[in-house]
Amino acid sequence: MRLAICDDNDIERELLHTLLQKYFSETSVRCEFTLYDRGNSLYYDVTEGINYDIIFLDLFMGDSFGMSIAQKLRDFSYKGKIIFCTVSGDYALESYNVFASGYILKPYSSDDIRRTLDRFLPEYQCDSYQIKQKSRIVYIPLNEIMFVESDNTKCILHRTENREYVIYKKLTQIEEELNDPRFLRCHQSYLVNMNYVREADDVFHLQSGDEVLIRQKSKKDIQKQFLEYKEKQSISPNNNKPGVWCDNK
């Protein structure tokens, strides 16, 4: 996914870049950012074949008026999303004439950015699990989920880089929602991503050093399912492996 940020103010441009990087770090979408300090430079790049999925466009720049740049982009048949960034809400209605997807007021806030992007981010999501954390939605790439454990009335999702998320659902419900062959229900209280299993004996030893319990009554069957899965992976490797992103370009 490619994004452009166009703002002639260096500080505000970098701030928006930082906030967007933070936002997309919670998604399954890999992004490339290109930063512009002039609207005309952005326009010329698009006319020369550089395409962006989303353009964040400042309204008031030294070399141009953002609304005019947006109109030129639409006249050139640019089909991507345009989100205006400005200190004034005076042009909010006019932004509909160029089919703007959002209108973010400065100074920037993470909440405003999240509310704007959450409306249409699902169309870019690939291979992810959606959970609600307080007032926000987090999209977790399936290949970053190591295991899920049940803990009384809640479950804890363990993600790479020691990140954890509390989910108030039953483990069976999470298993049904994930609905992916890489996840094995190996215990009443555990669901494991087999791509992260380093070794299996009485428990699953993960690459992270964590241990996931195996239901002892079904140990042979569970180990068999694990070996069959790993054998299929060795024959037909795919993007289920840890660390592989699903690119939405």
Side-chain angles (χ1 to χ4, degrees):
M1 184 178 179
R2 303 186 71 174
L3 297 93
I5 300 173
C6 186
D7 192 323
D8 63 347
N9 185 300
D10 295 344
I11 295 176
E12 292 181 343
R13 186 174 61 249
E14 291 297 337
L15 174 58
L16 179 57
H17 183 207
T18 299
L19 292 173
L20 289 172
Q21 286 180 313
K22 180 180 178 181
Y23 173 86
F24 280 103
S25 70
E26 298 287 354
T27 77
S28 64
V29 179
R30 184 173 67 182
C31 298
E32 294 180 12
F33 292 92
T34 303
L35 277 57
Y36 294 89
D37 60 4
R38 290 184 293 178
N40 287 319
S41 297
L42 165 65
Y43 172 71
Y44 292 139
D45 276 358
V46 172
T47 60
E48 290 177 4
I50 299 178
N51 189 45
Y52 295 106
D53 298 286
I54 304 175
I55 292 174
F56 294 85
L57 185 58
D58 184 29
L59 269 181
F60 303 104
M61 293 178 285
D63 76 320
S64 58
F65 178 44
M67 195 68 68
S68 299
I69 295 296
Q71 188 61 62
K72 290 170 65 176
L73 289 169
R74 293 306 189 202
D75 291 342
F76 184 73
S77 298
Y78 170 71
K79 302 298 184 184
K81 290 179 170 57
I82 297 175
I83 297 176
F84 287 112
C85 307
T86 179
V87 295
S88 170
D90 293 345
Y91 293 89
L93 290 177
E94 188 176 342
S95 69
Y96 290 105
N97 295 330
V98 292
F99 305 100
S101 297
Y103 199 94
I104 302 177
L105 291 177
K106 301 178 182 181
Y108 296 120
S109 76
S110 297
D111 289 340
D112 287 343
I113 290 172
R114 182 178 300 114
R115 278 193 293 268
T116 300
L117 293 178
D118 278 354
R119 290 187 288 108
F120 50 80
L121 187 66
E123 67 187 82
Y124 297 102
Q125 288 293 335
C126 178
D127 211 18
S128 64
Y129 181 58
Q130 174 182 317
I131 63 173
K132 186 171 183 179
Q133 297 285 285
K134 296 183 179 178
S135 61
R136 65 191 180 114
I137 302 296
V138 177
Y139 297 89
I140 303 176
L142 296 189
N143 58 14
E144 293 187 9
I145 300 174
M146 298 190 298
F147 66 100
V148 186
E149 64 174 313
S150 176
D151 181 16
N152 295 322
T153 60
K154 62 182 184 292
C155 287
I156 302 173
L157 185 150
H158 296 263
R159 185 179 178 182
T160 54
E161 300 181 358
N162 295 316
R163 288 172 288 183
E164 296 181 357
Y165 303 85
V166 175
I167 307 173
Y168 291 94
K169 294 180 180 179
K170 293 183 178 180
L171 188 58
T172 299
Q173 182 180 350
I174 295 175
E175 179 183 11
E176 293 172 351
E177 291 172 347
L178 287 171
N179 188 30
D180 188 280
R182 78 192 84 177
F183 293 101
L184 174 63
R185 181 69 176 270
C186 56
H187 188 274
Q188 179 180 352
S189 300
Y190 286 92
L191 181 67
V192 67
N193 184 338
M194 290 182 282
N195 289 326
Y196 284 97
V197 176
R198 174 177 53 82
E199 183 182 354
D201 42 44
D202 287 340
V203 299
F204 281 129
H205 301 272
L206 305 191
Q207 298 167 8
S208 60
D210 293 294
E211 293 185 353
V212 172
L213 298 179
I214 295 176
R215 187 169 52 250
Q216 292 305 299
K217 291 182 179 179
S218 309
K219 184 173 71 172
K220 289 185 178 180
D221 181 58
I222 290 171
Q223 290 178 339
K224 180 182 177 182
Q225 291 181 62
F226 168 67
L227 292 173
E228 289 176 348
Y229 173 80
K230 299 301 283 186
E231 183 178 353
K232 289 180 181 178
Q233 291 297 297
S234 64
I235 296 173
S236 303
N238 55 37
N239 284 349
N240 289 343
K241 292 182 178 180
V244 178
W245 286 91
C246 183
D247 200 339
N248 287 277
K249 291 185 184 179

